[in-house]
Amino acid sequence: MAEEAHGADEGGLVFHPMDQFIIKPLFGDGPVGMFTITNATLWMALAVVCVIALLVLGTRKRAIIPSRTQSVAELAYGFIYKMVEDVAGKDGVKYFPYIMTLFIFIVFSNFLGLIPGSFTTTSHIAVTAVMAMGVFLFVTILGFVKHGAGFLSLFWISSAPLALRPILALIEIISYFVRPVSHSIRLAGNMMAGHAVIKVFAAFAPLVLISSGIGLLVTPLSIIAITAIYALEVLVSFIQAYVFTILTCVYLKDALHPHH
Amino acid sequence: MATDEILEGEGLPHSAAEAPGMPQLDFSSFPNQIFWLVITLIVIYFVLSRIALPRIGSVLAERSGTITNDIAAAEDYKQKAVEAEEAYNKALADARAEAGQIVANTKADIQKDLDKAIAQADAEIAARAAEGEKAIAAIRESAKDSAATVAKDIAKDIVAAVAPGKIDAKSVTAAVTAKMKG
């Protein structure tokens, strides 16, 4: 997956499954400042390029009978549009471009990260936490702007018995503030774990070069395992983008309709 | 031997010396990532909201409009086809009715002509029969006259032969006429 920064160690197997996540400057070898162009910058830029290629260049012809790329672009559009409409309701459609931005960025980052040797921007908690905090602040502010103090009724479950309500309110408030944490760690954790596991198996793969005895067994097994985990990761890449987006829609729904 | 090497490779102090645990928790890289992420999201947002999403939305709307129009047009054509079929059937029925009418009319005409001809023939036959009857009657009449004349002549002759000069011709004729009427 990532470039081996350490090179082969003294004859043994090399286990550095986390090295693929290291942020380093793309040009030169200096420290990583705020505006340094790093590998993260490169792969985010590539995600932008892919987004433009699919959604802008792919739909260039505006064909009534779509080309293949245009079909995919329309499919993505329809998929997220319907999700926003179904989950957040008709008045949530206004926020469709924001949600589409998140989804398309995550899905392209996840899939670009699956290219061997690439860097997965969404495996970093800094990236997912910024998005999750953005969603959290956005829906919280939106809720208060739309409903004022009435937004707090989200925590006051009127269908529960009165005695239980304060306890439920406490639980609801805690879960509300945990949302951005789970929202961001779910995505970053999934991406990181999958890539790390592939890397661990990849480290076992050259065992046959060291010991032809056990290596004959371990090497094919690790290659099969890499293939299987890779297939799983393809699935996870899409599912995590989907989950992140649908949770955003759910939070948006809570902000628009806080009354249960 | 192999196991030793794996363990050596896995050796925590060894890798920990070089890799700082999880790069995700290396806070020194956070400002960089956050800065570029925000730039990326803003660029994607503007590309989407200014170009891509309105375009795809309009293409989808246009397509559904085209489909709706096409379906409406198809419905229209279907309606027209149904109407055309109805008109055809109607024309067919009309033609059939007209043909029946013509047949009936013709039949009636022929019947009329026939009746006329029969009536004419009947009249002619009647006329001829009457004529024949008249002729027969005339013949009968003339035969009667002849018979009377003959009878009177014969009676005169007989009377003259039997008793000449005693009975005149007039009384003989009257007697014969009276006899013949009786």
Side-chain angles (χ1 to χ4, degrees), chain A residues 37-219:
Chain A
I37 295 178
T38 58
N39 47 356
T41 316
L42 171 70
W43 289 97
M44 284 181 191
L46 285 175
V48 174
V49 170
C50 290
V51 170
I52 292 174
L54 175 68
L55 293 182
V56 177
L57 302 183
T59 59
R60 201 177 50 236
K61 286 185 216 144
R62 300 160 184 270
I64 290 290
I65 299 157
S67 60
R68 254 178 249 182
T69 1
Q70 194 184 323
S71 282
V72 174
E74 284 170 9
L75 213 64
Y77 180 100
F79 178 62
I80 302 301
Y81 192 91
K82 202 170 173 309
M83 188 196 290
V84 174
E85 204 177 28
D86 288 354
V87 177
K90 283 267 182 228
D91 43 353
V93 166
K94 218 173 4 197
Y95 310 100
F96 164 62
Y98 302 102
I99 292 168
M100 185 72 180
T101 303
L102 286 179
F103 173 77
I104 211 82
F105 170 71
I106 295 170
V107 92
F108 272 117
S109 297
N110 289 356
F111 278 118
L112 284 172
L114 284 175
I115 299 171
S118 74
F119 174 81
T120 320
T121 50
T122 39
S123 66
H124 272 265
I125 195 75
V127 170
T128 57
V130 166
M131 292 191 287
M133 277 313 290
V135 170
F136 178 76
L137 291 177
F138 182 80
V139 298
T140 308
I141 293 167
L142 183 75
F144 278 113
V145 167
K146 286 241 166 194
H147 305 279
F151 181 56
L152 293 174
S153 68
L154 180 65
F155 307 119
W156 195 252
I157 299 158
S158 47
S159 56
L162 192 61
L164 277 177
R165 282 184 210 172
I167 303 163
L168 284 175
L170 188 67
I171 295 170
E172 286 286 325
I173 288 169
I174 292 170
S175 84
Y176 189 81
F177 283 97
V178 169
R179 274 177 181 185
V181 179
S182 65
H183 202 188
S184 55
I185 289 179
R186 181 182 301 112
L187 175 58
N190 267 288
M191 299 320 294
M192 186 192 76
H195 287 71
V197 167
I198 290 181
K199 192 70 185 175
V200 169
F201 280 117
F204 273 113
L207 191 66
V208 73
L209 301 175
I210 299 159
S211 145
S212 52
I214 194 162
L216 278 177
L217 183 69
V218 170
T219 297

